[in-house]
Amino acid sequence: MRALVQDRYGSPDVLRVDDVATPVPGHGEVLVRVKAASVNARDWHVMRGEPRLARLLDSATFGRAGPRVRIRGTDFAGTVESVGEDVTTWRPGDDVFGESDAAIAEYVAALEGTMATMPAGLSFELAAAIPLAANTALVCLRAGQAEAGQSVLINGASGGVGTFAIQLAKSMGVHLTAVCSARNAELARSLGADVIIDYAREDFTKSGRRYDLVLDLVGNRSLRDLRRVLKPSGTIVLSGGGVSGEGRFIGPLGMIIRAQ
């Protein structure tokens, strides 16, 4: 099959389309013919091997000179081709979407429990854009114990995770403040944000407003700044952050480590 592969860390120039062996589904795995795959920030982190500290902390993903898994991609949508031993949820012909390593390929072998049935009326392209970003948003909101009536601020509300976080948080009944650029204000508002803060015009950490939950998806503010906008019993949830090619050694991991 054809797949997008790399053998060493670097810029997008290290990526190439190559012929590789089609995976065989093992115990509890499903072979999916991929119709669409999407790209996340995780992909450029792994492609570049950055931040380099991650190579020490996550040896299952990062090798010394290149990623452990040669094929890039995590999100996919497609049709079940075959199933491995003891798989009971899926059968050939089912349309599914989900998460697995090596997703940017003609076929991917994924664990039975890492996918879901394609929603009716949703294209493969749209479905493939959901899994990693939406799951990350949901994990963050659950970690922050978001619930109805709370005030929640999302820093980085117009990114992949942020746009899902807005919708999920609003479905939980919170009052939501979105921090984003002016050009993305209408997007955030259309997804359900109650208040929009343009970071170029206003510093949300100096507004005097307090929140039950602050979800930081950017990593561009100090922990002291973020604590300033919390209510006494409030919670900060940190996820991701960083820009490709910047913070090459520590990146957003520095802030996450300090938060411990």
Side-chain angles (χ1 to χ4, degrees):
M1 68 173 186
R2 292 179 302 163
L4 187 69
V5 304
Q6 73 176 108
D7 295 308
R8 58 186 175 85
Y9 296 125
S11 69
D13 295 335
V14 303
L15 302 175
R16 70 183 190 281
V17 177
D18 202 356
D19 291 321
V20 301
T22 301
V24 176
H27 180 86
E29 289 186 329
V30 177
L31 183 67
V32 178
R33 179 189 289 271
V34 178
K35 301 291 185 67
S38 66
V39 177
N40 294 281
R42 178 182 188 274
D43 296 301
W44 63 253
H45 278 296
V46 176
M47 178 187 72
R48 293 179 178 273
E50 297 176 3
R52 293 191 179 184
L53 180 60
R55 301 185 196 182
L56 299 176
L57 300 178
D58 185 3
S59 60
T61 300
F62 297 94
R64 185 169 183 177
R68 297 289 186 190
V69 178
R70 295 177 66 218
I71 302 173
R72 294 280 56 75
T74 304
D75 288 354
F76 67 87
T79 303
V80 174
E81 185 80 4
S82 62
V83 300
E85 185 180 356
D86 291 336
V87 171
T88 59
T89 308
W90 310 108
R91 60 185 179 180
D94 289 340
D95 289 335
V96 297
F97 70 121
E99 292 183 46
S100 177
D101 284 336
I104 306 180
E106 291 185 287
Y107 294 91
V108 62
L111 290 172
E112 179 180 17
T114 60
M115 61 188 76
T117 301
M118 283 272 294
L122 198 65
S123 69
F124 287 106
E125 290 82 3
L126 290 176
I130 294 174
L132 183 60
N135 277 330
T136 301
L138 186 58
V139 167
C140 288
L141 291 168
R142 286 177 173 172
Q145 299 181 330
E147 58 185 40
Q150 288 186 332
S151 56
V152 176
L153 178 139
I154 301 175
N155 184 29
S158 61
V161 176
T163 50
F164 282 110
I166 292 174
Q167 297 171 79
L168 289 167
K170 286 303 295 181
S171 74
M172 297 173 180
V174 308
H175 184 274
L176 185 70
T177 298
V179 181
C180 60
S181 65
R183 68 188 179 94
N184 290 318
E186 188 51 43
L187 169 64
R189 187 174 290 107
S190 71
L191 295 175
D194 299 294
V195 178
I196 309 294
I197 295 179
D198 174 5
Y199 60 75
R201 289 174 170 263
E202 181 181 354
D203 184 346
F204 73 88
T205 69
K206 297 179 180 179
S207 67
R209 294 185 286 270
R210 299 289 183 268
Y211 303 91
D212 296 293
L213 171 62
V214 173
L215 173 52
D216 182 19
L217 305 173
V218 185
N220 64 341
R221 306 307 300 256
S222 69
L223 289 170
R224 179 175 296 178
D225 285 344
L226 297 178
R227 289 185 67 177
R228 191 183 299 134
V229 300
L230 279 184
K231 292 181 179 179
S233 59
T235 303
I236 300 171
V237 176
L238 307 173
S239 177
V243 178
S244 181
E246 297 182 7
R248 296 178 61 188
F249 293 95
I250 298 178
L253 290 177
M255 185 172 179
I256 293 173
I257 291 170
R258 287 194 297 275
Q260 302 304 311

